Structures are given as structure tokens and as C-alpha cells.
Amino acid sequence: MPGSTAPLKLWDPSPAIREESNIQDFINWLKSSRNLLFNDYNELWLWSVTDLDAFWTAIWEYFDILAKSPYETVISSDPMPNAKWFSGATLNYAQHIFRNSNSHSPAFIAKRETRQLREITWSELEESVAAFANWLKNRGVKVGDRVAAFIPNIEEANIAFLATCSIGAIWSSCSPDFGANSVIDRFQQIEPKILIVADGYSYNGKLFDKSDTIKQLLDAIPSVDHLVWVPFIGESKLPAEFSKAYLWDDIMNSEHPELEFEPVPFEHPIWILYSSGTTGNPKAITHSQGGVLLEHLKYLRFHNDVKSGERYFWFSTTGWMMWNFSQAALLCGATVVLYDGSPSYPDLNVLWELAEKCKISHFGTSAPFIMACKKAGIAPGKQFDLKALRSISSTGSPLPPEGFEYVYQAVDPHVWMMSMSGGTDVCTAFVGGMPLLPVYEGEIQCRALGCSLFAWDEDGQALNGEVGEMVITKPMPSMPIFFWGDEDKKIYEASYFEEFPGYWRHGDWVLITERNSLIIFGRSDATLNRHGVRIGTSEIYRSVDKIPQVKESLIVNLELSAGRHFMPLFVQLMPGFVLDDQLKSEISKQLKLDYSPRHVPDEIIEVPDIPFTISGKKMEAPVKKILLGMTANKALNPDSMRNPESLHFFEEYAKTIK
């Protein structure tokens, strides 16, 4: 049975790591202040999901939450998604960041393809945030108004967010590699008063001018009263064609009072994130100031063990929730390292070189990046001085065992490797790291504190050692307060609560092992039903990734007429290779060897490119719809894609399926 025997143990925390960890300090605090004793992590987790009031009260008190007015109740008795948290309390997320201000370490270190490292001190950050907050207030921006940004992952984005948050306004951002329609679909819903834009961005050594896109945004979003212009590729001056525009540098150089913080209710919106929008209008997922404050403190301090003075990096863009999540490192007093550009330009060593130069303690990336490094055969541990590196985290898609193996062989045999999974839905991780527990090859260490997560069968029965639907049975503070424009919560409820009313179904296949570690097998809506046996797509990808000639792959199972099934595997090859019979045979043999004959596709087809969303997820479900005869425009929103031209092949191939 899967998960019934322990795989290879790759890392075990030393006594010193355990004793010096933030989570151990919390355990000691619970013992001294609450007289609570826990023999192991699982006992602590079980308490955290059994007594929500006691656990989240302890989080509030341990982190000494600054509240202008106190809370009256911890959590209401309403079922999900209507549970209310810490009613009566007023606070401010940004205020909790700035109480970590110090002169010993920078707040940010920023690097771009087009610019060398730049450090931003805490005092500089406070001055900049105060200047922008004052400018927003002078433009009439009030509590609850929306400030939107179309901007790369540069320090100006963080400054603008913190200023927006400090006055109780609501932040939302998109990366400038989004197409105009994709941005309009998002920002039109929330009607921002202020739009912050960069004139372009750089990627793979090339500059991209976004002036025309900005014009389209202003024409399509009439709620925008003022435009803030951030020069990135051009001169530091305002373009003549934009009225009501302000230059970023002019705002930064303006006179202003000291930074202040507007206390807002615990469930007041902090930011609006968006679903991928592959099959319709993106859902505008709205999170609360208090909810993400507690959740981010809990995860970054306890599960990632981030400490004051350390340096935290996650490769992201302003259009992915990991950008928002990375703000939490500032809550811990850590320095956030920003990188804007391609993770493979001029080659795949660029981020590892950044880790050396910035002395990064916690390095965050994605499974595809780790697997790309493995396929390229690079050995960062030999090429760079990574002695400051304590942990490597991976998210976005399941990290296969081979990815773990690569990290411990090619990066550092002593590093703490964490796979984690959560989502835009909660702007945190449901499952992830834990410095008290070992790391097993291919497994996520634990369920996060306060996350009542189980694997369920179709009848809602909990499974142990078997693959089931990932279900969250109790509320979490960072669950969305609502989707913007979905006042009656019908779309919200349909997104998570239809299959198991009152319980959050996340849409992933998960297995909980006898060690209480976890394995995620990919999206349940992309499951391959092969002769009555359910196969997770991640199993296929794990096996195919072992073939060095294959760069990327995508698999679907098509239900055809007369009860027929057809399971094609699409492969994008590395440069210089062709898909001949020998390579097809090698792929099929690998799948049989790793799993079973059922995993062998009916056909293996070479494609020029594999479709991905902008945030880097393979588009299995939309491709399946296209292959079953749906037009691409109905199957998905091309503006939600990183590479919409990749769909042409699948549209043509669909004509050959009978």
C-alpha cells in the first residue's frame, strides 16, 4: 500500500536545530503559560485543530498582536465559509511589519536583470512608505478603496503595498507579463482608484515596452482617478499622453509626515488575489488583514523557522500569491531578497549565484525549476558558496522524489528541503515544513498547525495510507472573507463546498502516510481514470522526468463514444532530439518499471510547447476540453496563459481524434 513503508530519510534535524527552532520556543511557552505538554509534533497539531479557540488565542498572545481595540470572540459558531474571526479587534498588518525595523540588517535586497544589487534599509523603507501613504491620502484614497499595480517584482511594488495597507486601503497587483485583457478582467472587477504602472519589464535579457497596454487599461477601467508612473525601461519622466499621471520619484521626494497606521477590523480586506481564469473570469479572492497576519506569522515563524536578521527569498512575480506571502518574512524581522527577471537567464545558475551574493538563508522556488536544474546537470553546491543556506522550499506543483534527491546530491546534503502546498485561495500553505521532523524523499513533512486537513473518499470517510480528496474540515483565519462582487457567496460556496457541504474540498489528491507526512498526486479534476483505476498525473510526470531527452510533458485521459478511453502523452523534447520509436519505447518502459502497464499511454506525441498558466501550472483540464471538441476560446481564457500559441497544436490534433 502506498505510504505504508518509509522511503529514504534524507534529513533529520539535529538536537541543536530542534532546540533553537521557533516552534520549540512556542512549545516551551505553552508549557510555562498554559501548562500544556506535547510529546511530539502530531500531538501539537491535533490540539491545534481540535481546540481552535485555545490555539488561535495562543497564537495571538505568543506573537503579542497589536490591537487598537480588543477582540470579543475568537471564532463564531457559523459554519464555513461564514465563520467570523476575532470580532471587535482592530489592527494593521503593516504596523506589525514595521515594529521589526532595525539598523542591523536591510529590509530588502533587490536585484534585476537590468540592475545590480541594491539594499533598502528599514529607515529608507519607512520614509518611502510614509511618502506614498501621504500621497494616497492627499489624492482622496480612503479605507476600503482599491489600489492596483501593474508592475514587476521590484522594491517599488513592496513600498506601494505597505503604504496602501497602512492606510486601510486594499491592494491588488498583476505582473507586466500579463496581457491587457487578462489585467482588465481582473482590475475591472474591483474598480481601483489608483493605478501604479511600470513602463515595461525585462525578461531573458530583453526589454518589453508596456505603454500600449497601459493605454488599454486606462481606457477599460474608468474608475482610475490617478496614474503613478514607475520608469523601468525608459527615462525618469512622465509620458505626455497620460493625464493625471504622477512620477514615482516625485512622490518619493515630496514632503510628508511620519508614517502612521490606520487600525481596521480584523476581517477588513488586505488584498485581492485572483484565480487563474483559465475557464472564465478570474475569481477575485479577498483576504483579511487579521487573517493573513496570524497565518503568516504562524507559517513563516513555526513551519519555515524564519528568524530575525535572516535573508528570505522566493522567486515570484507580483501576479502570484507567493509575492504576497513573502511579505510575511518582514513580519519575522528578516530581509526579503527580490529578483526580477528570468530564472534561467543567462543560465540556470543565476538564482544560485544570487543565493551566494545575498547570503540567503531560506530559498524558495518551484518544482519545475528544481527539475530543470537537475536536467541541466548543474551542481550549485560545488559552484557557489551556499553555507548561509538553511532551507530550500518548493511549491506550485508536487516535487517528485528525484527532485529531493537532486537537492541533497547537487546543492547541499545538510540543507532542510521542504515541499509545501496551499494556494491563492488562502495565501498560505496547508501542508509544509517542520524543523522538528525528518524529511523523507518525495514527502511533505506535515499538516500545518491549525489546518484540519484529511484525505476523504467519495462518501466523506477519512482515509489513512490511501489517496483521497484533500478536505479541510474546520475554518482557518486566512480563508477568503469573500470573492469581490460575490455578495451572496454563491461562487465562493460553489468553488469549495459543493461536493462536501460545510467542508472545504481543495481539489487535490492527497495521501497521509503512517508517519503523518503527506504526498500530493496533483489536481483531482485532472485525474486519469484508466480502466477503472485512478492515476494521478504527477505519477506520470515523475516517471517521464527521468527521461533526459524530455523537457516537459502533459497527459490527459479522454472519454470517447461507446465507452472508449484514449490516453495520449504529449512531450516537448530538449533541443536536438526527435521522438523516434526508440525514445517512445524508453518512455513506455520507464512508466511500466516505475508504476504499471496501466500508466503507459495509448500514444506519445511530440509537441512544440506545453501549455502553462501565467503562474506556471500545466493546463491539463483545458487541453482535455479542446481535445474533446471544444474551441480554445470556450475551453479557456488565452490571456491567462504564459504561452497561448502552444494551443494551436492541440486544436489541430483534436481534428484527428474520432
Side-chain angles (χ1 to χ4, degrees):
M1 181 179 295
S4 61
T5 57
L8 180 64
K9 184 189 291 187
L10 298 171
W11 181 82
D12 217 353
S14 68
I17 289 174
R18 293 170 188 258
E19 188 58 35
E20 295 168 10
S21 67
N22 294 329
I23 186 67
Q24 186 60 52
D25 186 73
F26 179 58
I27 291 170
N28 296 342
W29 180 85
L30 289 172
K31 180 180 178 181
S32 62
S33 68
R34 298 289 196 276
N35 198 30
L36 291 171
L37 303 175
F38 300 102
N39 294 314
D40 56 31
Y41 174 76
N42 197 57
E43 284 190 9
L44 177 63
W45 171 81
L46 192 59
W47 168 73
S48 78
V49 299
T50 302
D51 194 340
L52 295 185
D53 273 55
F55 172 70
W56 289 107
T57 299
I59 292 293
W60 183 283
E61 294 182 9
Y62 178 80
F63 287 115
D64 189 24
I65 299 302
L66 302 173
K68 182 73 171 179
S69 56
Y71 64 85
E72 297 160 3
T73 56
V74 175
I75 182 173
S76 70
S77 59
D78 303 285
M80 289 187 286
N82 299 310
K84 305 295 183 188
W85 290 90
F86 292 95
S87 298
T90 56
L91 42 70
N92 191 284
Y93 184 100
Q95 184 177 14
H96 287 79
I97 283 179
F98 278 98
R99 68 175 177 175
N100 292 300
S101 179
N102 66 83
S103 59
H104 309 300
S105 58
F108 291 102
I109 302 175
K111 171 75 171 73
R112 309 179 190 176
E113 283 186 355
T114 56
R115 195 178 71 185
Q116 294 304 308
L117 290 173
R118 175 172 180 254
E119 291 192 357
I120 298 94
T121 67
W122 279 95
S123 60
E124 288 172 334
L125 178 64
E126 186 168 343
E127 279 293 308
S128 298
V129 171
F132 198 74
N134 186 61
W135 180 87
L136 288 173
K137 287 187 281 191
N138 288 340
R139 304 284 86 71
V141 178
K142 303 182 297 296
V143 172
D145 287 339
R146 276 77 63 206
V147 175
F150 181 61
I151 192 169
N153 184 23
I154 54 180
E155 59 269 30
E156 288 86 346
N158 301 81
I159 291 166
F161 158 68
L162 289 170
T164 299
C165 183
S166 74
I167 67 171
I170 305 168
W171 173 263
S172 194
S173 58
C174 287
S175 174
D177 56 355
F178 281 34
N181 290 336
S182 186
V183 181
I184 291 166
D185 286 346
R186 287 159 170 78
F187 289 168
Q188 262 187 349
Q189 297 183 60
I190 67 169
E191 300 177 308
K193 271 191 175 183
I194 305 294
L195 181 62
I196 306 162
V197 300
D199 59 354
Y201 69 99
S202 63
Y203 198 83
N204 278 335
K206 298 178 182 178
L207 297 178
F208 297 85
D209 190 326
K210 301 299 289 188
S211 299
D212 289 341
T213 300
I214 294 167
K215 293 175 186 175
Q216 294 178 60
L217 300 185
L218 291 173
D219 289 342
I221 310 173
S223 63
V224 174
D225 291 334
H226 302 283
L227 183 76
V228 178
W229 189 265
V230 181
F232 188 97
I233 65 171
E235 297 179 21
S236 185
K237 65 179 182 179
L238 285 173
E241 64 267 33
F242 293 115
S243 61
K244 292 187 178 180
Y246 298 80
L247 191 64
W248 176 268
D249 288 346
D250 291 343
I251 297 172
M252 291 296 102
N253 293 328
S254 62
E255 292 188 12
H256 57 269
E258 291 184 0
L259 180 60
E260 298 178 342
F261 303 97
E262 179 70 29
V264 294
F266 185 93
E267 294 209 334
H268 180 77
I270 183 171
W271 51 51
I272 300 168
L273 308 181
Y274 303 92
S275 63
S276 61
T278 54
T279 57
N281 229 25
K283 293 186 282 287
I285 301 170
T286 309
H287 293 117
S288 70
Q289 284 228 18
V292 295
L293 172 63
L294 294 190
E295 182 60 43
H296 285 180
L297 281 168
K298 180 209 75 179
Y299 193 89
L300 266 288
R301 286 281 292 273
F302 294 161
H303 291 277
N304 211 144
D305 201 40
V306 177
K307 299 177 181 179
S308 179
E310 292 190 322
R311 294 179 173 191
Y312 179 93
F313 167 77
W314 205 295
F315 179 78
S316 183
T317 72
T318 57
W320 188 25
M321 54 82 50
M322 291 308 301
W323 181 86
N324 304 72
F325 183 78
S326 294
Q327 311 302 318
L330 298 172
L331 290 173
C332 305
T335 297
V336 175
V337 179
L338 305 173
Y339 182 79
D340 183 67
S342 168
S344 58
Y345 177 81
D347 54 45
L348 281 164
N349 283 314
V350 64
L351 297 184
W352 301 112
E353 182 181 6
L354 183 72
E356 177 187 69
K357 287 184 176 179
C358 296
K359 297 180 173 57
I360 289 172
S361 314
H362 304 280
F363 182 98
T365 183
S366 65
F369 175 77
I370 290 174
M371 298 308 293
C373 290
K374 173 180 168 60
K375 289 210 168 190
I378 66 172
K382 295 180 180 178
Q383 294 170 260
F384 303 101
D385 179 1
L386 302 178
K387 62 175 175 290
L389 192 62
R390 287 184 56 212
S391 77
I392 298 175
S393 293
S394 170
T395 195
S397 59
L399 181 66
E402 292 75 17
F404 283 80
E405 179 185 335
Y406 167 76
V407 167
Y408 282 96
Q409 289 182 350
V411 182
D412 186 346
H414 307 295
V415 77
W416 172 25
M417 178 68 228
M418 288 178 280
S419 181
M420 59 187 281
S421 182
T424 303
D425 322 78
V426 288
C427 201
T428 188
F430 293 127
V431 296
M434 176 44 56
L436 302 179
L437 299 174
V439 172
Y440 291 96
E441 186 178 68
E443 295 185 356
I444 298 171
Q445 285 179 282
C446 68
R447 289 171 278 194
L449 293 174
C451 180
S452 181
L453 182 151
F454 296 90
W456 277 13
D457 65 15
E458 295 172 354
D459 298 320
Q461 299 299 309
L463 300 170
N464 290 312
E466 295 182 50
V467 177
E469 287 275 5
M470 181 189 290
V471 175
I472 316 299
T473 65
K474 294 184 180 180
M476 296 172 62
S478 68
M479 285 177 173
I481 44 177
F482 49 75
F483 293 169
W484 199 269
D486 178 37
E487 288 79 7
D488 56 9
K489 294 191 176 180
K490 285 186 177 179
I491 300 174
Y492 188 174
E493 291 185 6
S495 298
Y496 309 109
F497 299 100
E498 273 194 345
E499 184 158 338
F500 302 112
Y503 301 97
W504 177 296
R505 170 188 171 269
H506 194 60
D508 282 340
W509 286 125
V510 65
L511 178 147
I512 302 171
T513 75
E514 60 189 14
R515 298 170 296 284
N516 288 305
S517 54
L518 304 100
I519 304 171
I520 293 178
F521 292 89
R523 298 293 295 172
S524 56
D525 56 9
T527 302
L528 310 171
N529 192 329
R530 188 71 161 158
H531 308 304
V533 176
R534 292 186 305 196
I535 298 172
T537 55
S538 66
E539 294 178 352
I540 302 291
Y541 302 142
R542 174 191 172 186
S543 194
V544 175
D545 277 343
K546 294 179 180 178
I547 309 298
Q549 300 95 317
V550 177
K551 182 179 180 181
E552 285 288 358
S553 61
L554 183 144
I555 193 160
V556 295
N557 186 60
L558 307 178
E559 298 83 14
L560 304 177
S561 60
R564 295 178 299 126
H565 284 249
F566 176 55
M567 192 170 83
L569 171 68
F570 301 95
V571 295
Q572 178 188 6
L573 300 183
M574 300 291 281
F577 293 99
V578 296
L579 184 65
D580 53 21
D581 289 341
Q582 182 177 345
L583 182 53
K584 289 181 181 180
S585 176
E586 187 177 344
I587 294 170
S588 298
K589 285 179 180 177
Q590 190 68 53
L591 286 162
K592 284 182 184 177
L593 177 66
D594 289 339
Y595 295 105
S596 76
R598 289 191 182 93
H599 289 70
V600 176
D602 294 311
E603 192 171 340
I604 303 175
I605 304 108
E606 183 178 356
V607 297
D609 203 2
I610 297 294
F612 281 89
T613 66
I614 290 173
S615 60
K617 297 184 186 298
K618 293 181 184 181
M619 303 183 70
E620 296 149 334
V623 165
K624 180 175 179 177
K625 292 177 182 179
I626 292 172
L627 297 181
L628 288 174
M630 188 180 289
T631 62
N633 287 335
K634 288 185 177 180
L636 52 85
N637 177 5
D639 283 325
S640 69
M641 296 184 62
R642 185 172 74 192
N643 51 349
E645 66 283 352
S646 64
L647 295 176
H648 299 323
F649 176 90
F650 295 93
E651 291 178 290
E652 292 302 313
Y653 184 77
K655 299 173 184 177
T656 69
I657 299 174
K658 298 180 181 179

